[in-house]
Amino acid sequence: MDGLGLRPPLTVGLTGGIGSGKSTVASALVACGAHLVDTDAIARALTAPGGAAMPALRDALGAAAVAADGGLDRDRLRQLAFADADVRRRLESILHPLIGAQALQQAAAHGGRPVVFDVPLLTESQGARPWRTRVQRVLVVDCTEATQVERVARRAGWTAEAAQRVIAQQATRAQRRAIADAVIHNDGLDLGQLHAEVRALWALWNNPQRY
């Protein structure tokens, strides 16, 4: 509580592997009244033509990482990062601090509402201030790897093999669950059931007696 005896708004870190249904859960949380801070959207803005991260990315990664329009060549860089851990570390060392700073700025403008930070790499963040220390609760959306692959392979431009390569680069299911305050197991749930689970958890976490 603060000096006036008021409880601070709830802050939640939301994460999950590719194809887990995290974005669907994020939408459900917004429907519950949460203010959503989408770190993927922040990253896209930072790496768009004229984005704040582009000068440092060009210096660190070279012209091959820059598309013809001056933004980040995301497909090219994805290939480089998968093949070279050093490229991935350089990319993250530039982007992660900028993403974190902008995310916190957006959260500060939420008007007192509970905030959900949608952070795909929340588990992987190991910097000076990892995401787990920035939020009161962590919610993990989980499902089997087979379900992940099946869902991602239905997306335009994706194959099962491409999905498996991404999964291999991400934190394991066990690693995500290890830092979670709650896990939604999104296997075999229809949309109504998934939303019902989200609403029940949100009501529990926003109970005035939660502290």
Side-chain angles (χ1 to χ4, degrees):
M1 295 187 183
D2 63 20
L4 299 176
L6 300 176
R7 294 179 178 85
L10 180 67
T11 54
V12 174
L14 172 66
T15 196
I18 188 172
S20 64
K22 177 178 59 62
S23 295
T24 303
V25 170
S27 297
L29 289 167
V30 170
C32 289
H35 174 80
L36 182 68
V37 176
D38 184 342
T39 61
D40 256 357
I42 292 172
R44 288 193 294 273
L46 288 169
T47 58
M54 287 310 303
L57 289 172
R58 178 187 288 273
D59 289 345
L61 302 172
V66 182
D69 63 2
L72 187 68
D73 188 334
R74 297 175 71 88
D75 290 337
R76 170 66 174 157
L77 194 60
R78 186 182 297 116
Q79 295 171 3
L80 292 172
F82 283 155
D84 188 336
D86 183 59
V87 170
R88 187 165 63 251
R89 283 191 294 269
R90 279 182 282 162
L91 173 68
E92 292 172 351
S93 70
I94 294 168
L95 282 181
H96 286 187
L98 293 173
I99 291 169
Q102 291 205 13
L104 294 176
Q105 288 174 8
Q106 290 186 17
H110 62 52
R113 291 159 56 195
V115 175
V116 172
F117 296 93
D118 183 340
V119 188
L121 299 180
L122 187 150
T123 309
E124 293 87 340
S125 68
Q126 298 296 328
R129 194 181 178 199
W131 271 104
R132 187 61 184 88
T133 68
R134 298 175 177 176
V135 295
Q136 297 166 356
R137 299 286 187 273
V138 168
L139 173 57
V140 168
V141 186
D142 186 45
C143 65
T144 66
E145 184 174 319
T147 298
Q148 289 180 267
V149 172
E150 178 187 353
R151 288 173 178 160
V152 176
R154 291 200 297 262
R155 300 177 184 175
W158 282 84
T159 64
E161 293 74 18
Q164 288 167 338
R165 286 195 298 270
V166 173
I167 291 169
Q169 293 288 332
Q170 294 183 330
T172 66
R173 294 175 62 202
Q175 287 170 331
R176 281 191 290 268
R177 291 195 300 263
I179 66 165
D181 294 293
V183 178
I184 291 179
H185 298 281
N186 188 23
D187 264 310
L189 299 179
D190 62 30
L191 195 58
Q193 291 169 324
L194 180 60
H195 278 245
E197 287 208 14
V198 172
R199 287 194 298 270
L201 180 63
W202 194 244
L204 176 65
W205 277 357
N206 284 278
N207 187 303
Q209 304 302 318
R210 73 178 190 268
Y211 294 106

